[in-house]
């Protein structure tokens, strides 16, 4: 693939709807002339793309909380970029901005709110990696899921699946910061588990890929979890249901284990545990909580500036690697937020 010049824009567009596991060949790279700027618009050079498992769902032609990405459309994605031209009073050339700018090197934006938020200016002193992780969609998801939905409180015993991922790692730390008595994470691989106990301050981490999950859960949660924050669903949710305390809360944040399944497996086998243990199970979607983003960002920024919140990011490089970088999420290769760096800011700051 050729490098683009300042007159062309490279884009990754959806070529075909994936069946089962998403493949790089489901996308195609096209080049087109740089778009012309209209009134009240800005032209943004994308610097970092962010990747989320939900992107797999956006490729299915089904009704969901946002419309599917259409065949031939630029793949939807959040990013941080730099304004290189502006005809909008709220954005100046050189500003760093964050929004749903898609898998492309340059994007036009108008600052109007879309279904997934509006173009935000990155505050001075905030690195793009942090803006897209702890202070981005996954940090906010962790915050609202743990505090508003899970209502984490002092004395809780908290279990988090997908704990070394972008959402799980922040959610688990929020539980600790809000006074949970014990926080246990589940993650794939020893490196992730080591990060959870040594950097993120969890009390224990279980490597579900190489350890006996059922036994470890029983050992680590002898009285059961009062709160389970689930990012993965499937067999891990089933095991967790067997290790809940009576009256416990289950926050359903996501179910990545099923996102690439052609045929969905039957639902949780242990669902009767919800009855027997009198559990409360609540799902949520971040976009319903944007109105409270100020409160969340205030708390998250405070913890970050006090050095109380460890942030992990996995930064790949090169626009040509965009589809491969999405696949890393489903292969469990990322520790923390999966990002792809496209460029340094073209305008010195
Ligand atoms: P992430 O956790 O940073 O990355 C995905 C991780 O999922 C991988 O690193 C891998 O970690 C794990 N995984 C992949 N396949 C798996 C499988 N078959 N079984 C168990 N674990 C598997 O991604 P994220 O962006 O933070 O998203 C985490 C979850 O939150 C996803 O389910 C996502 O859809 C959900 N989410 C929900 C909302 C909402 O509004 N409700 C918003 C954002 C995200 P391991 O190595 O540990 O397996």
């Amino acid at each position: 693939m050729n490098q683009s010049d300042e007159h062309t824009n490279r884009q990754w567009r959806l070529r075909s709807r994936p069946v089962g596991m998403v493949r790089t060949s489901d996308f195609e790279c096209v080049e087109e002339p740089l778009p012309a700027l209209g009134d009240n618009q800005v032209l943004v050079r994308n610097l970092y793309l962010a990747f989320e498992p939900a992107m797999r769902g956006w490729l299915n032609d089904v009704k969901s909380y946002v419309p599917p990405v259409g065949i031939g459309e630029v793949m939807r994605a959040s990013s941080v970029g730099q304004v290189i031209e502006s005809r909008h009073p709220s954005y100046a050339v050189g500003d760093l901005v964050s929004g749903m700018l898609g898998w492309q090197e340059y994007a036009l934006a108008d600052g109007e709110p879309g279904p997934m938020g509006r173009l935000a200016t990155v505050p001075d002193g905030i690195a793009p990696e942090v803006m897209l992780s702890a202070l981005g969609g996954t940090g906010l998801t962790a915050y609202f899921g743990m505090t508003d939905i899970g209502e984490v409180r002092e004395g809780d015993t908290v279990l988090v699946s997908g704990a070394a991922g972008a959402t799980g790692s922040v959610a688990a730390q929020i539980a600790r910061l809000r006074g949970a008595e014990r926080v246990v994470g589940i993650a794939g691989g020893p490196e992730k588990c080591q990060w959870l106990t040594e950097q993120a301050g969890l009390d224990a981490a279980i490597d579900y890929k190489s350890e006996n999950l059922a036994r470890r859960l029983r050992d680590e949660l002898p009285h059961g979890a009062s709160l389970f924050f689930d990012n993965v669903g499937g067999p891990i949710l089933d095991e967790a249901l067997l290790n809940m305390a009576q009256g416990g809360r289950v926050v359903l944040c996501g179910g990545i284990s099923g996102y690439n399944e052609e045929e969905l497996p039957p639902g949780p086998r242990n669902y009767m545990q919800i009855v027997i243990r009198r559990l409360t199970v609540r799902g949520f979607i971040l976009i319903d909580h944007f109105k409270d983003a100020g409160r969340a960002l205030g708390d998250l920024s405070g913890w970050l500036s006090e050095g109380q919140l460890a942030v992990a990011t996995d930064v790949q490089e090169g626009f040509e690697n965009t589809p491969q970088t999405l696949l890393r999420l489903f292969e469990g290769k990322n520790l923390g937020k999966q990002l792809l760096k496209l460029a340094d800011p073209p305008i010195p700051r």
Side-chain angles (χ1 to χ4, degrees):
M1 194 191 316
N2 296 327
Q3 290 290 312
S4 64
D5 57 35
E6 70 262 33
H7 304 295
T8 59
N9 185 21
R10 289 188 297 172
Q11 304 177 318
W12 282 102
R13 294 170 177 248
L14 181 62
R15 190 205 311 256
S16 52
R17 297 209 177 277
V19 179
M21 181 57 77
V22 60
R23 294 167 307 172
T24 56
S25 57
D26 293 319
F27 304 94
E28 65 179 335
C29 190
V30 299
E31 260 182 49
E32 61 162 42
L34 268 191
L37 200 62
D39 282 342
N40 282 316
Q41 285 191 324
V42 291
L43 181 62
V44 179
R45 172 70 164 103
N46 264 334
L47 307 178
Y48 286 84
L49 300 180
F51 294 80
E52 12 265 334
M55 294 163 102
R56 175 65 186 84
W58 303 341
L59 303 177
N60 295 334
D61 192 12
V62 294
K63 194 168 159 22
S64 186
Y65 60 97
V66 284
V69 177
I71 300 289
E73 285 180 6
V74 175
M75 179 59 192
R76 180 187 298 140
S78 58
S79 66
V80 160
Q82 188 176 41
V83 175
I84 56 168
E85 277 183 69
S86 178
R87 286 170 66 181
H88 193 294
S90 305
Y91 306 96
V93 169
D95 282 355
L96 291 189
V97 290
S98 176
M100 299 299 293
L101 299 172
W103 282 4
Q104 52 187 341
E105 291 180 304
Y106 296 89
L108 282 180
D110 57 14
E112 291 304 313
M116 302 192 71
R118 64 162 69 228
L119 196 66
T121 303
V122 179
D124 280 345
I126 300 296
E129 294 94 326
V130 174
M131 187 72 185
L132 289 171
S133 55
L135 299 181
T138 41
L140 291 172
T141 301
Y143 183 91
F144 290 119
M146 195 46 92
T147 63
D148 293 38
I149 307 299
E151 299 178 6
V152 66
R153 56 187 82 120
E154 282 186 12
D156 265 330
T157 298
V158 178
L159 176 67
V160 179
S161 65
T167 307
S169 62
V170 177
Q173 292 181 82
I174 291 173
R176 168 173 59 70
L177 289 162
R178 283 287 162 93
E181 193 175 294
R182 185 165 176 73
V183 184
V184 176
I186 304 173
E191 189 203 347
K192 293 185 180 190
C193 289
Q194 191 177 356
W195 184 87
L196 286 170
T197 51
E198 292 182 6
Q199 306 293 320
L202 270 62
D203 298 290
I206 304 172
D207 174 2
Y208 76 95
K209 288 187 174 163
S210 70
E211 298 186 276
N212 182 322
L213 179 64
R215 190 178 319 131
R216 281 297 310 278
L217 282 172
R218 278 198 304 274
D219 290 349
E220 297 296 344
L221 303 166
H223 307 294
S226 56
L227 173 55
F228 173 43
F229 187 107
D230 187 25
N231 286 306
V232 307
I236 289 178
L237 169 61
D238 258 323
E239 279 311 328
L241 288 175
L242 287 171
N243 288 276
M244 293 300 296
Q246 186 168 318
R249 292 101 70 205
V250 177
V251 176
L252 296 186
C253 176
I256 190 172
S257 66
Y259 291 177
N260 287 290
E261 294 293 333
E262 226 170 298
E263 185 120 353
L264 283 176
R269 262 187 322 172
N270 293 331
Y271 90 104
M272 269 307 291
Q273 295 300 322
I274 297 169
V275 180
I276 294 162
R277 294 168 196 255
R278 292 84 150 173
L279 305 180
T280 303
V281 181
R282 287 183 70 188
F284 75 104
I285 291 287
L286 169 66
I287 54 178
D288 299 338
H289 298 267
F290 280 157
K291 61 184 184 318
D292 296 318
R295 166 168 56 94
L297 291 171
D299 282 345
L300 290 163
S301 311
W303 290 323
L304 282 170
S305 62
E306 291 160 7
Q308 298 200 67
L309 189 61
V311 179
T313 55
D314 176 321
V315 185
Q316 301 296 302
E317 294 205 9
F319 186 71
E320 60 282 3
N321 295 321
T322 305
Q324 288 95 309
T325 306
L326 174 63
L327 266 59
R328 291 175 65 82
L329 295 171
F330 304 111
E331 296 160 349
K333 287 188 174 157
N334 60 306
L335 200 176
K337 183 73 190 179
Q338 183 66 68
L339 300 173
L340 179 72
K341 183 176 178 183
L342 305 186
D344 287 315
I347 299 168
R349 305 192 74 231

